Amino acid sequence: MKISIEPTVAVENPEHPTPHTHLQRFGAATLAGAIFIIDTLTSIHIAIAVLYVAVILMSVNLFSRKGVIGVSLSCFGLTLAAFFISHGSDFNSSAFARCLVSLSAIGITTLLALKNKAANDELQEQVRMLAQTHDAIIVRDMDGIITTWSPGAEALYGWSKAQAIGQDFRKLLRPQLTLTWEQMMNSLIETGRWEGEVVEHRRDGTPVTVVSRCSLSRDESNQPKAVLATHNDITEQKRAINALRRSEAFLAGAQWLSQTGSIGLKIPSGEMYWSDEARRIFEFGDDEEPLLSNVLKKTHPDDLDLVKVSIKHAYQKEPHIKVEYRLLMTDGRIKHVQMLAHPVQDATGNFEYIGALMDVTDAKLSEEALHRSQTELAHVTRITTLGELAASIAHEVNQPLAAVTTNGTAGLRWLNREVPDIDEVRSAMERMMSETHRASEVIRRIRAMSRKTDPQSVPVDLMEVIEESLALVDREVRRNKIVLDHQYDTEVAQIIGDRVQLQQVIINLIMNGVQAMSNTKGKHRTLHLHLRRSDAGELCVDVKDNGPGISPQSMPKLFNAFYTTKPDGMGMGLSICRSIIDAHGGRIWATSEAGEGAAFHLSFPSSNEEPA
């Protein structure tokens, strides 16, 4: 008699019986009782007790290992009991032989059942463990029909187990592979395994990207029997990777457009990272590694100490690092770069400086060109101002020259007397020297105003600048019958700056006030000039006239280039003034009330505060 036992995966746990299990156990007990009655009462000469193997096979899925052994022993007992009841102690009869055959069948079946149960219990445990995972576990036959559908598959795809089992896998999930279905199956049959990304569809039609890991199961004749697949949802990961890739592409494009590269420096290891744009800015080859030594090799010799100090600050874990320096390329070209960096710290306490490296060469060249243009324009404006003051300048020069002539004539008369009056001659000569010095000062101031030189940053007495400016415009003020009211509320008025440029600003503001009051009638024309120190310690200069004032519409555009309120103005005076004051780290602004005149205000940091 051949007994074949196929492994079965039970969904019920024998240690925690369900009502269905109780019903099956009752059925097994009823069958065992029926076999016992038939075996005891029947006169059929066959091994009825062999039917107990059916009870043992039923018990495999209904009881634990101990329970199966108990059922087997019970079947042994019932077989022997039926023999003794029916045949007594007749051990030489054919009935006893049939009893031994039945007992052997029960024993063999029990051993096979226990072996099968051990494998079955292990498989059940694996299934229970797999069922607890979030991955979808799907078993399908070679025709693609689903035979197993785990809770993970229910959660992922939306179909219940009852809805999915028996369905064609391809029609239900509509998988989309990078290769054909036939190619995938051929690879699976050849190697026994296949893994890849598949786009499938949920019950509501939304696509889901999974990593599918397929394993081929074969029968006893080594023929493909089923495919076990685990599907891991990577939709969000793929979406994140694709966000990331787009961001990297956008970042690379933005870095290329803005000529800004990314750099990283780990502290204290010194390990560096360069983005492609940073590598392009440094003009490093593909074989050059991100090393501090390579950065220093590209640094302009005159800026080497500056870069080394910044590196030192990084090792000292400074919160922010900003440095602007030059690179010297192999062909002699000079690049201007600016680096900004700040540290980040990971969970282990390691520091890494993340920074941006910007090629500011074009901006530097443009800034220098703009500076040269502003300097040229300021010089032209000064020449124009001198042209407007030509009459005053001529008067300022003629006065001392006329005085020199008068004193020279008087001195000669005193010498031509019969008894020369030496004291009078000495006095005349002293007056001549004084007037000569006065004329020389006028010429010096004119030459300074007309000189074309680069701006200087030196200590300057603002009070002296104002006095020299007033001397140049004195005749224009008196010619226009303007009363000049100037007062100084501070004794120390030293700032860092360029004397000529500051004179240009003061003269421009005074001349604007003079011209604003040129048509004023019916009241005294007064120009107030006030040097003072603010509560914050800044030196301030106020120039105020009592002309018609500035309209509210003109006020926002007053310092814009080419904007003017004068019929014959160029609109560059106040714009240049603002550029000069900004370069000195100061501020310039205007206030006005209709009919009450206009006031221009300057403020400068004192000499112990370097201009920006």
Side-chain angles (χ1 to χ4, degrees):
M1 184 177 187
K2 182 179 179 181
I3 300 176
S4 176
I5 300 177
E6 290 294 333
T8 305
V9 179
V11 293
E12 293 89 356
N13 188 343
E15 298 181 359
H16 302 283
T18 64
H20 180 66
T21 305
H22 285 300
L23 183 61
Q24 288 182 318
R25 287 180 178 180
F26 177 74
T30 302
L31 178 61
I35 294 172
F36 175 75
I37 294 171
I38 294 172
D39 191 24
T40 302
L41 301 179
T42 187
S43 59
I44 301 174
H45 298 292
I46 60 175
I48 301 296
V50 171
L51 298 175
Y52 283 120
V53 299
V55 177
I56 294 172
L57 293 177
M58 292 175 64
S59 68
V60 171
N61 295 327
L62 301 176
F63 297 97
S64 65
R65 180 181 177 84
K66 291 182 179 179
V68 173
I69 294 175
V71 170
S72 178
L73 292 175
S74 298
C75 290
F76 267 104
L78 290 173
T79 301
L80 291 173
F83 172 77
F84 285 118
I85 293 172
S86 300
H87 305 285
S89 58
D90 187 5
F91 298 117
N92 295 320
S93 63
S94 60
F96 182 67
R98 292 193 297 272
C99 178
L100 291 178
V101 170
S102 298
L103 291 175
S104 298
I106 293 171
I108 293 172
T109 301
T110 301
L111 291 175
L112 293 175
L114 290 174
K115 182 178 179 181
N116 179 72
K117 181 172 179 59
N120 190 38
D121 288 347
E122 182 180 357
L123 183 58
Q124 285 184 11
E125 182 62 25
Q126 292 177 355
V127 170
R128 281 195 294 269
M129 292 179 64
L130 288 173
Q132 293 175 2
T133 67
H134 296 292
D135 293 347
I137 301 171
I138 304 171
V139 179
R140 61 181 186 270
D141 63 19
M142 298 309 294
D143 294 325
I145 303 302
I146 298 171
T147 59
T148 299
W149 188 261
S150 73
E154 292 181 331
L156 176 59
Y157 298 107
W159 284 284
S160 67
K161 179 179 179 181
Q163 292 171 325
I165 289 180
Q167 298 289 327
D168 189 316
F169 168 78
R170 288 163 292 184
K171 292 182 180 179
L172 189 71
L173 300 182
R174 290 174 288 154
Q176 299 173 357
L177 295 84
T178 56
L179 66 168
T180 65
W181 180 262
E182 289 74 17
Q183 289 174 329
M184 188 275 287
M185 289 302 296
N186 290 337
S187 175
L188 179 61
I189 292 172
E190 288 177 6
T191 64
R193 295 181 180 276
W194 182 86
E195 179 177 340
E197 289 186 11
V198 183
V199 176
E200 297 172 333
H201 295 81
R202 294 187 173 97
R203 184 178 182 181
D204 60 5
T206 58
V208 55
T209 304
V210 300
V211 171
S212 177
R213 298 178 178 87
C214 299
S215 178
L216 185 67
S217 175
R218 296 178 180 272
D219 59 17
E220 295 177 353
S221 60
N222 203 33
Q223 294 299 313
K225 181 175 64 173
V227 177
L228 170 65
T230 60
H231 292 184
N232 183 19
D233 183 7
I234 60 168
T235 305
E236 293 301 324
Q237 297 177 24
K238 289 288 290 185
R239 186 177 292 116
I241 289 172
N242 293 334
L244 180 58
R245 288 176 178 171
R246 282 197 299 270
S247 297
E248 288 177 347
F250 288 146
L251 179 60
Q255 288 190 355
W256 181 80
L257 289 172
S258 63
Q259 295 186 323
T260 303
S262 301
I263 59 172
L265 174 63
K266 292 185 178 181
I267 302 297
S269 68
E271 181 181 350
M272 289 195 73
Y273 160 80
W274 300 334
S275 69
D276 291 340
E277 187 61 22
R279 182 180 289 274
R280 190 198 65 77
I281 292 173
F282 281 115
E283 297 185 13
F284 287 133
D286 294 337
D287 58 337
E288 292 185 86
E289 298 181 2
L291 297 173
L292 281 174
S293 57
N294 289 335
V295 173
L296 294 176
K297 287 178 183 177
K298 293 283 187 176
T299 303
H300 194 285
D302 293 344
D303 294 344
L304 200 56
D305 290 340
L306 181 64
V307 176
K308 288 181 178 180
V309 169
S310 298
I311 296 173
K312 180 180 178 182
H313 288 166
Y315 278 89
Q316 293 173 344
K317 300 178 181 179
E318 292 286 337
H320 296 286
I321 295 178
K322 179 179 180 181
V323 60
E324 188 171 312
Y325 64 101
R326 292 167 294 173
L327 302 177
L328 182 60
M329 301 294 102
T330 55
D331 58 0
R333 287 178 296 112
I334 293 178
K335 281 187 176 182
H336 295 264
V337 295
Q338 184 182 79
M339 187 190 71
L340 301 172
H342 71 280
V344 293
Q345 187 175 14
D346 60 21
T348 60
N350 294 323
F351 274 83
E352 181 176 3
Y353 275 86
I354 306 298
L357 182 77
M358 181 178 291
D359 184 352
V360 295
T361 304
D362 291 342
K364 272 289 183 182
L365 294 177
S366 298
E367 182 182 338
E368 291 173 359
L370 177 62
H371 177 71
R372 287 194 299 270
S373 299
Q374 289 178 334
T375 302
E376 293 280 351
L377 191 57
H379 176 251
V380 171
T381 306
R382 288 199 299 272
I383 297 300
T384 303
T385 302
L386 289 175
E388 294 175 354
L389 297 175
S392 296
I393 293 171
H395 177 76
E396 288 293 324
V397 174
N398 283 333
Q399 272 195 333
L401 291 178
V404 168
T405 301
T406 302
N407 285 298
T409 302
L412 288 174
R413 287 201 306 268
W414 292 111
L415 284 174
N416 290 331
R417 288 190 173 188
E418 292 182 1
V419 180
D421 192 335
I422 301 301
D423 291 335
E424 289 292 343
V425 172
R426 183 181 293 109
S427 297
M429 293 183 67
E430 289 174 352
R431 289 193 295 273
M432 289 173 63
M433 292 176 63
S434 175
E435 294 298 333
T436 302
H437 178 72
R438 177 184 169 189
S440 176
E441 281 297 303
V442 173
I443 299 301
R444 182 189 64 80
R445 288 193 289 268
I446 294 171
R447 290 184 62 186
M449 284 287 288
S450 62
R451 189 172 62 242
K452 183 180 179 181
T453 58
D454 291 331
Q456 299 178 349
S457 291
V458 296
V460 176
D461 190 327
L462 196 55
M463 196 178 302
E464 292 180 359
V465 171
I466 294 174
E467 289 294 335
E468 291 176 353
S469 302
L470 290 175
L472 285 174
V473 299
D474 179 65
R475 186 171 183 278
E476 284 296 313
V477 171
R478 289 187 283 106
R479 186 174 68 83
N480 284 274
K481 300 179 180 179
I482 293 173
V483 176
L484 180 62
D485 174 30
H486 62 282
Q487 59 184 53
Y488 306 135
D489 291 347
T490 179
E491 295 180 357
V492 180
Q494 193 174 73
I495 62 172
I496 301 296
D498 183 90
R499 178 182 295 270
V500 174
Q501 286 192 341
L502 293 172
Q503 273 190 12
Q504 180 175 351
V505 172
I506 299 297
I507 290 174
N508 187 280
L509 296 182
I510 293 174
M511 290 300 295
N512 282 350
V514 170
Q515 293 169 3
M517 294 184 291
S518 61
N519 295 323
T520 301
K521 297 179 180 179
K523 61 180 179 180
H524 294 293
R525 302 171 185 175
T526 306
L527 185 68
H528 301 275
L529 195 151
H530 188 192
L531 175 64
R532 58 186 175 84
R533 190 173 292 276
S534 70
D535 295 337
E538 296 178 321
L539 283 172
C540 300
V541 178
D542 305 314
V543 181
K544 185 179 185 305
D545 63 65
N546 63 345
I550 303 170
S551 68
Q553 293 79 11
S554 299
M555 191 66 74
K557 301 176 285 185
L558 203 58
F559 294 96
N560 293 351
F562 305 111
Y563 179 79
T564 180
T565 58
K566 303 174 185 177
D568 55 349
M570 293 191 302
M572 294 304 299
L574 290 178
S575 175
I576 292 173
C577 287
R578 183 179 64 177
S579 298
I580 292 174
I581 299 303
D582 287 346
H584 284 74
R587 296 180 298 127
I588 181 171
W589 70 100
T591 58
S592 178
E593 294 183 13
E596 298 296 328
F600 287 87
H601 311 277
L602 308 176
S603 69
F604 301 91
S606 57
S607 59
N608 58 345
E609 302 176 40
E610 291 292 334

